[in-house]
């Protein structure tokens, strides 16, 4: 499944991202996308794990 989002990079983070992009030789926009994807996937995995744990807990409480 493909989900499209729009995200504005906070101005105070742009210099740090720009420096990272320069270090690895990538354009700024590609570096932003890579960092955002990494953050979304990490956050999504944590959210799914929390939801699964909550549901399991609710099921155990219901028994």
């Amino acid at each position: 499944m493909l989900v499209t989002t729009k995200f504005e990079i906070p101005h105070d983070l742009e210099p740090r991202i720009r420096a990272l992009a320069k270090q690895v030789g990538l354009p700024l926009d590609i570096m932003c996308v890579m960092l955002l994807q990494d953050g979304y996937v990490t956050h999504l995995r944590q959210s799914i794990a929390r939801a699964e744990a909550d549901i399991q807990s609710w099921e155990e409480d219901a028994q």
Side-chain angles (χ1 to χ4, degrees):
M1 174 182 4
L2 177 64
V3 177
T4 303
T5 61
K6 216 175 195 182
F7 188 83
E8 184 175 344
I9 301 297
H11 295 290
D12 61 321
L13 294 180
E14 189 174 332
R16 293 173 66 190
I17 297 170
R18 191 176 296 280
L20 284 170
K22 186 177 180 181
Q23 286 178 327
V24 296
L26 291 174
L28 179 61
D29 59 338
I30 299 297
M31 190 76 233
C32 288
V33 169
M34 288 176 61
L35 290 168
L36 289 170
Q37 286 178 340
D38 178 58
Y40 284 140
V41 170
T42 300
H43 183 72
L44 183 59
R45 285 185 178 139
Q46 291 171 349
S47 295
I48 291 168
R50 269 195 311 274
E52 289 171 340
D54 286 346
I55 290 169
Q56 183 177 358
S57 175
W58 298 338
E59 289 172 347
E60 289 171 358
D61 289 346
Q63 291 176 356

Coordinates of all heavy atoms in Angstrom, one line a residue:
M1 N 0.9 -1.2 0.0 CA 0.0 0.0 0.0 C 0.9 1.2 0.0 O 1.9 1.3 0.7 CB -0.9 0.0 1.2 CG -1.7 1.3 1.4 SD -2.8 1.5 2.8 CE -2.6 0.1 3.8
L2 N 0.5 2.2 -0.8 CA 1.3 3.5 -0.9 C 0.5 4.6 -0.3 O -0.7 4.8 -0.6 CB 1.6 3.8 -2.3 CG 2.3 5.1 -2.6 CD1 3.7 5.1 -2.0 CD2 2.4 5.4 -4.1
V3 N 1.1 5.3 0.7 CA 0.4 6.4 1.3 C 1.3 7.6 1.1 O 2.5 7.6 1.3 CB 0.3 6.2 2.9 CG1 -0.3 7.4 3.5 CG2 -0.5 4.9 3.2
T4 N 0.7 8.7 0.6 CA 1.4 9.9 0.3 C 1.1 10.9 1.4 O 0.0 11.1 1.8 CB 0.9 10.5 -1.0 OG1 1.1 9.6 -2.1 CG2 1.6 11.8 -1.4
T5 N 2.2 11.6 1.9 CA 2.1 12.6 3.0 C 2.8 13.8 2.6 O 3.7 13.8 1.7 CB 2.6 12.1 4.3 OG1 4.0 11.8 4.1 CG2 1.9 10.8 4.8
K6 N 2.5 14.9 3.2 CA 3.2 16.1 3.0 C 3.8 16.5 4.4 O 3.1 16.4 5.4 CB 2.2 17.2 2.6 CG 2.7 18.2 1.6 CD 1.6 19.1 1.2 CE 2.0 19.9 0.0 NZ 0.9 20.8 -0.4
F7 N 5.1 16.9 4.4 CA 5.7 17.2 5.6 C 6.7 18.4 5.4 O 7.4 18.4 4.5 CB 6.5 16.0 6.1 CG 7.1 16.2 7.5 CD1 6.3 15.9 8.6 CD2 8.4 16.6 7.7 CE1 6.8 16.0 9.9 CE2 8.9 16.7 9.0 CZ 8.1 16.5 10.1
E8 N 6.5 19.4 6.3 CA 7.4 20.5 6.2 C 8.6 20.3 7.3 O 8.3 20.1 8.4 CB 6.7 21.8 6.6 CG 7.5 23.1 6.4 CD 6.8 24.4 6.7 OE1 5.5 24.3 6.6 OE2 7.4 25.4 6.9
I9 N 9.8 20.4 6.8 CA 11.0 20.3 7.6 C 11.1 21.5 8.5 O 11.1 22.7 7.9 CB 12.2 20.1 6.8 CG1 12.1 18.9 5.9 CG2 13.5 20.0 7.7 CD1 12.0 17.6 6.6
P10 N 11.1 21.4 9.8 CA 11.3 22.6 10.7 C 12.6 23.3 10.3 O 13.6 22.7 10.0 CB 11.4 22.0 12.1 CG 10.7 20.7 12.0 CD 11.0 20.2 10.6
H11 N 12.6 24.6 10.3 CA 13.7 25.4 9.9 C 14.9 25.2 10.7 O 16.0 25.2 10.1 CB 13.3 26.9 9.9 CG 12.2 27.3 9.0 ND1 12.4 27.3 7.6 CD2 10.9 27.6 9.2 CE1 11.3 27.7 7.0 NE2 10.4 27.9 7.9
D12 N 14.8 24.9 12.0 CA 16.0 24.7 12.8 C 16.7 23.3 12.5 O 17.8 23.2 12.8 CB 15.6 24.7 14.3 CG 14.6 23.7 14.7 OD1 13.6 23.4 14.0 OD2 14.7 23.2 15.8
L13 N 16.0 22.4 11.8 CA 16.6 21.1 11.5 C 17.2 21.1 10.1 O 18.1 20.3 9.8 CB 15.5 20.0 11.5 CG 15.0 19.7 12.9 CD1 14.0 18.6 12.8 CD2 16.1 19.4 13.9
E14 N 16.8 22.1 9.3 CA 17.3 22.1 7.9 C 18.9 22.1 7.8 O 19.4 21.4 7.0 CB 16.7 23.2 7.1 CG 17.0 23.1 5.6 CD 16.3 24.2 4.8 OE1 15.2 24.6 5.2 OE2 16.9 24.6 3.8
P15 N 19.6 23.0 8.6 CA 21.0 23.0 8.5 C 21.6 21.6 8.8 O 22.6 21.2 8.2 CB 21.5 24.0 9.5 CG 20.3 24.9 9.7 CD 19.1 24.0 9.5
R16 N 21.1 20.9 9.8 CA 21.6 19.6 10.2 C 21.4 18.6 9.1 O 22.3 17.8 8.8 CB 21.0 19.1 11.5 CG 21.4 20.0 12.7 CD 20.6 19.6 13.9 NE 20.9 18.3 14.4 CZ 20.3 17.6 15.3 NH1 19.3 18.2 15.9 NH2 20.6 16.5 15.7
I17 N 20.2 18.6 8.5 CA 19.9 17.7 7.4 C 20.8 18.1 6.2 O 21.3 17.2 5.5 CB 18.4 17.8 7.0 CG1 17.6 17.3 8.2 CG2 18.1 16.9 5.8 CD1 16.1 17.5 8.1
R18 N 20.9 19.3 5.9 CA 21.8 19.8 4.8 C 23.2 19.3 5.0 O 23.9 18.8 4.0 CB 21.8 21.3 4.7 CG 22.4 21.8 3.4 CD 22.2 23.3 3.3 NE 20.8 23.8 3.3 CZ 20.1 23.8 2.2 NH1 20.6 23.3 1.0 NH2 18.8 24.2 2.2
A19 N 23.7 19.3 6.2 CA 25.1 18.8 6.5 C 25.2 17.3 6.3 O 26.2 16.8 5.7 CB 25.5 19.2 7.9
L20 N 24.2 16.6 6.7 CA 24.1 15.1 6.5 C 24.1 14.8 5.0 O 24.9 13.9 4.6 CB 22.9 14.5 7.2 CG 22.9 14.3 8.7 CD1 21.6 13.9 9.2 CD2 24.0 13.3 9.1
A21 N 23.3 15.5 4.3 CA 23.2 15.3 2.8 C 24.6 15.5 2.2 O 25.0 14.7 1.3 CB 22.2 16.2 2.2
K22 N 25.2 16.6 2.6 CA 26.6 16.9 2.0 C 27.6 15.8 2.3 O 28.4 15.4 1.5 CB 27.0 18.3 2.5 CG 28.3 18.7 1.9 CD 28.7 20.1 2.4 CE 30.0 20.5 1.7 NZ 30.4 21.9 2.2
Q23 N 27.5 15.3 3.6 CA 28.5 14.3 4.0 C 28.3 13.0 3.2 O 29.3 12.3 2.9 CB 28.3 14.0 5.5 CG 28.8 15.0 6.4 CD 28.6 14.7 7.9 OE1 27.6 14.0 8.2 NE2 29.5 15.1 8.7
V24 N 27.1 12.6 2.8 CA 26.9 11.4 2.1 C 26.7 11.6 0.6 O 26.5 10.7 -0.1 CB 25.7 10.6 2.7 CG1 25.9 10.1 4.1 CG2 24.4 11.4 2.6
G25 N 26.8 12.9 0.2 CA 26.7 13.2 -1.3 C 25.4 13.1 -1.9 O 25.2 12.7 -3.0
L26 N 24.3 13.4 -1.1 CA 22.9 13.3 -1.7 C 22.3 14.7 -1.7 O 22.7 15.6 -1.0 CB 22.1 12.5 -0.7 CG 22.4 11.0 -0.7 CD1 21.5 10.3 0.4 CD2 22.1 10.3 -2.0
P27 N 21.4 14.9 -2.7 CA 20.6 16.2 -2.7 C 19.8 16.3 -1.4 O 19.4 15.3 -0.8 CB 19.7 16.0 -3.9 CG 20.3 14.9 -4.7 CD 21.0 14.0 -3.7
L28 N 19.5 17.5 -1.0 CA 18.8 17.8 0.2 C 17.4 17.1 0.2 O 17.0 16.5 1.2 CB 18.6 19.3 0.5 CG 17.8 19.7 1.7 CD1 18.5 19.2 3.0 CD2 17.7 21.2 1.7
D29 N 16.7 17.1 -0.9 CA 15.4 16.5 -0.9 C 15.4 15.0 -0.7 O 14.6 14.5 0.0 CB 14.6 16.9 -2.2 CG 15.3 16.5 -3.4 OD1 16.5 16.3 -3.4 OD2 14.6 16.4 -4.5
I30 N 16.4 14.4 -1.3 CA 16.5 12.9 -1.1 C 16.9 12.6 0.3 O 16.3 11.6 0.9 CB 17.6 12.3 -2.1 CG1 17.2 12.6 -3.5 CG2 17.8 10.8 -1.8 CD1 15.9 12.0 -4.0
M31 N 17.8 13.4 0.9 CA 18.1 13.1 2.3 C 16.9 13.3 3.2 O 16.7 12.5 4.1 CB 19.2 14.1 2.7 CG 19.9 13.8 4.1 SD 21.0 12.4 4.0 CE 20.4 11.4 5.2
C32 N 16.1 14.3 3.0 CA 14.9 14.5 3.8 C 13.9 13.3 3.6 O 13.4 12.8 4.6 CB 14.2 15.8 3.3 SG 15.0 17.3 3.8
V33 N 13.7 12.9 2.4 CA 12.9 11.7 2.2 C 13.4 10.5 3.0 O 12.6 9.8 3.6 CB 12.7 11.4 0.7 CG1 12.0 10.1 0.5 CG2 11.9 12.5 0.0
M34 N 14.7 10.2 2.9 CA 15.2 9.1 3.6 C 15.1 9.2 5.1 O 14.7 8.2 5.7 CB 16.7 8.9 3.2 CG 17.0 8.5 1.8 SD 18.7 8.5 1.4 CE 19.4 7.2 2.5
L35 N 15.3 10.3 5.6 CA 15.2 10.5 7.1 C 13.7 10.4 7.5 O 13.4 9.7 8.5 CB 15.7 11.9 7.5 CG 17.2 12.0 7.5 CD1 17.6 13.4 7.6 CD2 17.9 11.1 8.5
L36 N 12.8 10.9 6.7 CA 11.4 10.9 7.0 C 10.9 9.4 6.9 O 10.1 8.9 7.8 CB 10.6 11.8 6.1 CG 10.7 13.3 6.4 CD1 10.1 14.0 5.2 CD2 10.1 13.6 7.7
Q37 N 11.3 8.7 5.9 CA 10.9 7.3 5.8 C 11.4 6.5 6.9 O 10.6 5.7 7.5 CB 11.4 6.7 4.4 CG 10.6 7.2 3.3 CD 11.1 6.7 1.9 OE1 12.2 6.3 1.8 NE2 10.3 6.8 0.9
D38 N 12.6 6.7 7.3 CA 13.2 6.0 8.5 C 12.4 6.3 9.7 O 12.0 5.4 10.5 CB 14.6 6.3 8.7 CG 15.2 5.6 9.9 OD1 15.2 4.3 9.9 OD2 15.7 6.3 10.8
G39 N 12.1 7.5 9.9 CA 11.3 7.9 11.1 C 9.9 7.4 11.1 O 9.4 6.9 12.1
Y40 N 9.2 7.4 9.9 CA 7.8 6.9 9.8 C 7.8 5.4 10.1 O 7.0 4.9 10.8 CB 7.2 7.1 8.5 CG 6.8 8.6 8.2 CD1 7.0 9.2 7.0 CD2 6.2 9.3 9.2 CE1 6.6 10.5 6.8 CE2 5.7 10.6 9.0 CZ 6.0 11.2 7.7 OH 5.6 12.4 7.5
V41 N 8.7 4.7 9.5 CA 8.8 3.2 9.7 C 9.0 2.8 11.1 O 8.4 2.0 11.7 CB 9.8 2.6 8.7 CG1 10.0 1.1 9.0 CG2 9.3 2.7 7.3
T42 N 10.0 3.5 11.7 CA 10.3 3.2 13.1 C 9.1 3.5 14.0 O 8.7 2.7 14.8 CB 11.5 4.1 13.6 OG1 12.6 3.7 12.8 CG2 11.9 3.8 15.0
H43 N 8.5 4.7 13.8 CA 7.3 5.1 14.6 C 6.2 4.1 14.3 O 5.5 3.7 15.3 CB 6.9 6.5 14.3 CG 5.8 7.0 15.1 ND1 5.9 7.3 16.5 CD2 4.5 7.2 14.8 CE1 4.7 7.6 16.9 NE2 3.9 7.6 16.0
L44 N 6.0 3.8 13.1 CA 4.9 2.9 12.7 C 5.0 1.5 13.4 O 4.1 1.0 14.0 CB 4.8 2.7 11.2 CG 3.6 1.9 10.7 CD1 2.3 2.4 11.1 CD2 3.7 1.8 9.2
R45 N 6.3 1.0 13.4 CA 6.5 -0.3 14.0 C 6.3 -0.3 15.5 O 5.7 -1.2 16.1 CB 8.0 -0.8 13.7 CG 8.2 -1.3 12.3 CD 9.6 -1.8 12.1 NE 9.7 -2.3 10.8 CZ 10.8 -2.1 10.0 NH1 11.8 -1.5 10.5 NH2 10.8 -2.6 8.8
Q46 N 6.7 0.8 16.1 CA 6.4 1.0 17.6 C 5.0 1.1 17.9 O 4.5 0.6 18.8 CB 7.2 2.2 18.1 CG 8.7 2.1 18.1 CD 9.4 3.3 18.4 OE1 8.8 4.4 18.5 NE2 10.7 3.2 18.7
S47 N 4.2 1.9 17.0 CA 2.8 2.0 17.2 C 2.1 0.7 17.1 O 1.1 0.4 17.8 CB 2.2 3.0 16.2 OG 2.8 4.3 16.5
I48 N 2.4 -0.1 16.1 CA 1.8 -1.4 15.9 C 2.1 -2.3 17.1 O 1.2 -3.0 17.6 CB 2.3 -2.0 14.6 CG1 1.7 -1.2 13.4 CG2 1.9 -3.5 14.5 CD1 2.4 -1.6 12.0
A49 N 3.3 -2.3 17.5 CA 3.6 -3.2 18.7 C 2.9 -2.8 19.9 O 2.4 -3.6 20.7 CB 5.2 -3.1 18.9
R50 N 2.7 -1.5 20.1 CA 2.0 -1.0 21.3 C 0.5 -1.4 21.2 O -0.1 -1.8 22.1 CB 2.1 0.5 21.4 CG 3.2 1.0 22.3 CD 3.0 2.5 22.7 NE 2.8 3.4 21.6 CZ 3.7 3.9 20.8 NH1 4.9 3.7 21.0 NH2 3.3 4.7 19.8
A51 N -0.1 -1.2 20.0 CA -1.5 -1.6 19.8 C -1.7 -3.1 20.0 O -2.7 -3.5 20.6 CB -1.9 -1.1 18.4
E52 N -0.8 -3.9 19.4 CA -0.9 -5.3 19.6 C -0.8 -5.7 21.1 O -1.6 -6.5 21.6 CB 0.2 -6.1 18.8 CG 0.0 -6.0 17.3 CD 1.2 -6.5 16.5 OE1 2.3 -6.6 17.1 OE2 1.0 -6.9 15.4
A53 N 0.1 -5.1 21.8 CA 0.2 -5.4 23.3 C -1.0 -4.9 24.0 O -1.5 -5.6 24.9 CB 1.5 -4.7 23.8
D54 N -1.6 -3.8 23.7 CA -2.8 -3.3 24.3 C -4.0 -4.3 24.1 O -4.7 -4.6 25.0 CB -3.2 -1.9 23.8 CG -2.3 -0.8 24.3 OD1 -1.6 -1.1 25.3 OD2 -2.4 0.3 23.8
I55 N -4.1 -4.7 22.8 CA -5.2 -5.6 22.5 C -5.1 -6.9 23.3 O -6.0 -7.5 23.8 CB -5.3 -5.9 21.0 CG1 -5.8 -4.6 20.3 CG2 -6.2 -7.0 20.6 CD1 -5.6 -4.6 18.8
Q56 N -3.8 -7.4 23.3 CA -3.6 -8.7 24.0 C -3.9 -8.5 25.5 O -4.6 -9.3 26.2 CB -2.1 -9.1 23.9 CG -1.9 -10.4 24.6 CD -0.4 -10.9 24.4 OE1 0.4 -10.3 23.7 NE2 -0.1 -12.0 25.0
S57 N -3.6 -7.4 26.1 CA -3.9 -7.1 27.5 C -5.4 -7.0 27.7 O -5.9 -7.5 28.7 CB -3.2 -5.7 27.9 OG -3.5 -5.4 29.2
W58 N -6.1 -6.3 26.8 CA -7.5 -6.2 26.9 C -8.2 -7.6 26.9 O -9.1 -7.9 27.6 CB -8.1 -5.4 25.8 CG -7.6 -3.9 25.8 CD1 -7.1 -3.2 26.9 CD2 -7.6 -3.1 24.7 NE1 -6.8 -2.0 26.5 CE2 -7.1 -1.8 25.2 CE3 -8.0 -3.2 23.4 CZ2 -6.9 -0.7 24.3 CZ3 -7.8 -2.1 22.6 CH2 -7.3 -0.9 23.0
E59 N -7.7 -8.5 26.0 CA -8.2 -9.8 25.8 C -8.0 -10.6 27.1 O -8.8 -11.4 27.5 CB -7.6 -10.5 24.6 CG -8.1 -9.9 23.3 CD -7.4 -10.5 22.1 OE1 -6.4 -11.1 22.2 OE2 -7.9 -10.3 20.9
E60 N -6.8 -10.5 27.7 CA -6.5 -11.2 28.9 C -7.3 -10.7 30.1 O -7.8 -11.5 30.9 CB -5.0 -11.0 29.2 CG -4.1 -11.8 28.3 CD -2.6 -11.4 28.5 OE1 -2.3 -10.6 29.3 OE2 -1.8 -12.0 27.8
D61 N -7.6 -9.4 30.1 CA -8.4 -8.8 31.2 C -9.9 -9.3 31.0 O -10.6 -9.4 32.0 CB -8.4 -7.3 31.1 CG -7.0 -6.7 31.6 OD1 -6.2 -7.5 32.2 OD2 -6.8 -5.5 31.4
A62 N -10.3 -9.5 29.8 CA -11.7 -9.9 29.6 C -12.0 -11.3 30.0 O -13.1 -11.7 30.2 CB -12.0 -9.7 28.1
Q63 N -10.9 -12.1 30.1 CA -11.1 -13.5 30.4 C -11.3 -13.8 31.9 O -11.2 -13.5 32.8 CB -9.9 -14.4 29.9 CG -9.8 -14.4 28.4 CD -8.6 -15.2 27.9 OE1 -7.7 -15.6 28.7 NE2 -8.5 -15.3 26.6

